[in-house]
Amino acid sequence: MKPVELKRDIYWVGAVDWNIRDFHGYSTEKGSSYNSYLIKDQKTVLFDTVKKGFFGDMMHRIYNLMDPKQIDYLVVNHVEMDHSGSLREAIELIQPEKIFCSPMALKAINAHFHPQGWPLQVVKTGDHLELGSRTVNFLETRMVHWPDSMFSYIPQEKLLISSDGFGLHWATSERFDDQVNQSELMRHAAKYYANILLLYSPLIQKLLAKVAELGLDIDMIAPDHGLIWRRNPATIIRAYDAWSQHKAASKVLVIYDTMWHSTEMMAKAIYDGALDQGVSVKLLNLACNDRSEVMTEVLDAKALVFGSPTLNNGMLPRMADLLHYLRGLKPAGKLCATFGSYGWSGEAPKMMAQILSEIKLELVAEPLRVNYVPDHEALAPCRELGQKIGQMVAALNLPPACDEVYCGD
Ligand code: FEO
């Protein structure tokens, strides 16, 4: 297991997890990586460790460069266990002179590890660490992704080590953004943002403003997951700016589950109605689309239409799961409507609408219901609903939706 040099004497020494398929409900169908970085200078520093179980991978890479006991410092940019699961083992082996972390990370380290005698030193935004020919400037980045999160910026190298920020879950043998398919790269970055960071969008707006205010000159961003951005780091910064402002494309999603295909017939009629208005429309059956893939589509959609038949006086379980997930991630600025077929009670469309209104998404129509199996005539209100929503989206003159998620280009 070899290290990969990012810049002279700066190395990726992390681990690739080819097998992980679920990350707290996020479908990591192509695995992930836990990145850690080593800078060799007069003082040598290791940024973040890796998930428990991958300590050996990281150490094998470091042994290719040096005896790990010669590492002087550790920097804990993030305490979540995918980056600190090996922290105790790393400290016991390396015996670092100092371990740098944010004030909130100190609390989190104490609560996770209950350490005795660890040489922890708190650093705040504006503090820096001299390595010799390089400096590490620290920037607290609360809630990107936890309260403890922190970026490390090395001005002499124009390198930003960005913890969870600008990351993506994708196991690859390649380490740099310019070595992989660009569409797939941005799709994974969007999925990561939509499923992990979307609810922190207001804080990400503040963070981007802070980075601009500090005038950080960046030609490489090294996150703790996925690929290192070196081709043009402005691409992912611009995408984060667009996503955190909830910018949308000219795109409607019809998201549904169905029991005996009646709600599916309604979904298709809504789809037809919207499509006639010249907007992009996607039909997403929850039986075939994982919640985290749906959430990725939600990221840049302007309108969301949710359909479920009524089961046991409620919505189908997959729709309840999705709306619960959606509620937590706090999408904003969407136009919404609900629909569903029913037999006798028919509560589901109203219940879905209630949740959407609680999370402050704009409902543009009353919940639409059809009794049992709709014929062509009974589907007319569905086509009209699709037309109405399609017209509303078309009138906004949004950027066209393409196969990939809108990234602010
Ligand atoms: Fe990749 Fe918040 O941990």
Side-chain angles (χ1 to χ4, degrees):
M1 279 172 261
K2 293 182 178 173
V4 177
E5 193 168 39
L6 280 63
K7 291 178 178 256
R8 184 181 54 83
D9 286 338
I10 302 180
Y11 299 90
W12 173 84
V13 291
V16 180
D17 186 348
W18 294 92
N19 301 324
I20 187 169
R21 289 293 177 270
D22 181 271
F23 204 100
H24 317 153
Y26 173 148
S27 157
T28 47
E29 79 286 355
K30 291 200 173 176
S32 189
S33 68
Y34 315 114
N35 299 337
S36 56
Y37 301 98
L38 187 83
I39 298 182
K40 293 178 73 176
D41 207 311
Q42 288 171 31
K43 290 288 190 180
T44 294
V45 56
L46 176 64
F47 294 85
D48 289 317
T49 53
V50 289
K51 190 175 176 182
K52 200 171 184 65
F54 293 87
F55 178 69
D57 296 38
M58 179 176 73
M59 281 303 150
H60 283 301
R61 292 187 212 284
I62 293 173
Y63 274 118
N64 275 303
L65 298 166
M66 62 188 296
D67 179 347
K69 291 189 178 63
Q70 292 174 347
I71 294 172
D72 299 287
Y73 303 139
L74 294 186
V75 170
V76 178
N77 275 328
H78 186 17
V79 181
E80 191 168 9
M81 298 305 263
D82 47 336
H83 310 293
S84 295
S86 297
L87 183 60
R88 183 181 295 280
E89 287 166 281
I91 291 168
E92 286 173 0
L93 176 62
I94 294 168
Q95 300 286 313
E97 187 181 322
K98 286 182 182 169
I99 303 164
F100 297 93
C101 64
S102 71
M104 296 303 284
L106 179 66
K107 289 185 183 177
I109 287 170
N110 285 334
H112 278 78
F113 298 99
H114 315 288
Q116 303 263 325
W118 289 7
L120 292 158
Q121 181 166 327
V122 166
V123 287
K124 298 178 180 171
T125 295
D127 288 347
H128 58 271
L129 170 65
E130 297 298 339
L131 300 180
S133 65
R134 301 175 182 89
T135 312
V136 181
N137 292 342
F138 297 108
L139 174 62
E140 291 167 82
T141 57
R142 288 190 184 192
M143 306 319 296
V144 186
H145 156 235
W146 275 14
D148 55 82
S149 296
M150 182 170 78
F151 286 1
S152 297
Y153 174 63
I154 297 91
Q156 295 85 354
E157 303 289 350
K158 301 181 181 179
L159 170 66
L160 182 68
I161 298 176
S162 62
S163 188
D164 274 342
F166 310 113
L168 49 106
H169 289 309
W170 188 14
T172 53
S173 53
E174 296 75 18
R175 294 272 60 82
F176 298 99
D177 60 343
D178 50 81
Q179 297 171 321
V180 297
N181 178 280
Q182 297 301 293
S183 295
E184 191 167 5
L185 174 73
M186 292 313 292
R187 175 85 188 175
H188 282 296
K191 181 174 181 179
Y192 182 96
Y193 189 91
N195 286 276
I196 295 180
L197 296 177
L198 184 61
L199 75 162
Y200 304 122
S201 288
L203 293 168
I204 286 168
Q205 274 291 299
K206 284 186 184 166
L207 174 63
L208 294 177
K210 183 74 179 172
V211 168
E213 178 196 320
L214 292 172
L216 303 189
D217 191 6
I218 298 167
D219 76 2
M220 186 180 287
I221 298 177
D224 276 3
H225 295 289
L227 283 298
I228 296 161
W229 305 88
R230 72 175 177 187
R231 189 175 74 109
N232 181 9
T235 304
I236 188 64
I237 293 174
R238 192 164 55 240
Y240 267 49
D241 188 36
W243 297 335
S244 58
Q245 291 183 62
H246 304 280
K247 286 190 176 173
S250 185
K251 173 170 146 186
V252 176
L253 302 182
V254 183
I255 304 164
Y256 69 98
D257 201 353
T258 195
M259 196 185 300
W260 296 109
H261 300 289
S262 294
T263 298
E264 185 167 63
M265 291 167 70
M266 297 176 74
K268 288 179 177 175
I270 294 166
Y271 170 94
D272 281 348
L275 197 60
D276 284 345
Q277 307 310 310
V279 297
S280 174
V281 193
K282 287 193 176 179
L283 204 53
L284 300 173
N285 182 341
L286 292 177
C288 311
N289 292 279
D290 170 81
R291 70 172 82 80
S292 52
E293 287 296 340
V294 173
M295 204 57 223
T296 311
E297 295 291 345
V298 165
L299 181 63
D300 72 340
K302 185 61 192 173
L304 313 173
V305 194
F306 296 90
S308 172
T310 295
L311 174 74
N312 304 334
N313 303 110
M315 65 193 85
L316 285 183
R318 279 186 287 249
M319 181 57 73
D321 173 286
L322 179 73
L323 290 177
H324 176 74
Y325 192 65
L326 189 90
R327 183 204 295 266
L329 288 165
K330 295 185 171 59
K334 314 292 185 191
L335 309 174
C336 293
T338 63
F339 65 97
S341 162
Y342 73 104
W344 51 100
S345 58
E347 293 93 335
K350 200 168 174 184
M351 291 173 85
M352 292 186 288
Q354 177 65 29
I355 293 170
L356 295 168
S357 104
E358 285 167 11
I359 56 178
K360 298 185 171 43
L361 295 180
E362 184 182 351
L363 288 158
V364 299
E366 289 297 312
L368 179 60
R369 304 190 311 169
V370 165
N371 191 224
Y372 285 120
V373 180
D375 58 13
H376 189 73
E377 191 179 339
L379 288 175
C382 300
R383 288 188 289 274
E384 286 162 13
L385 175 62
Q387 284 164 2
K388 176 179 177 176
I389 289 174
Q391 282 166 5
M392 292 178 81
V393 172
L396 295 170
N397 290 318
L398 297 168
C402 52
D403 283 345
E404 302 309 322
V405 174
Y406 176 65
C407 297
D409 292 320

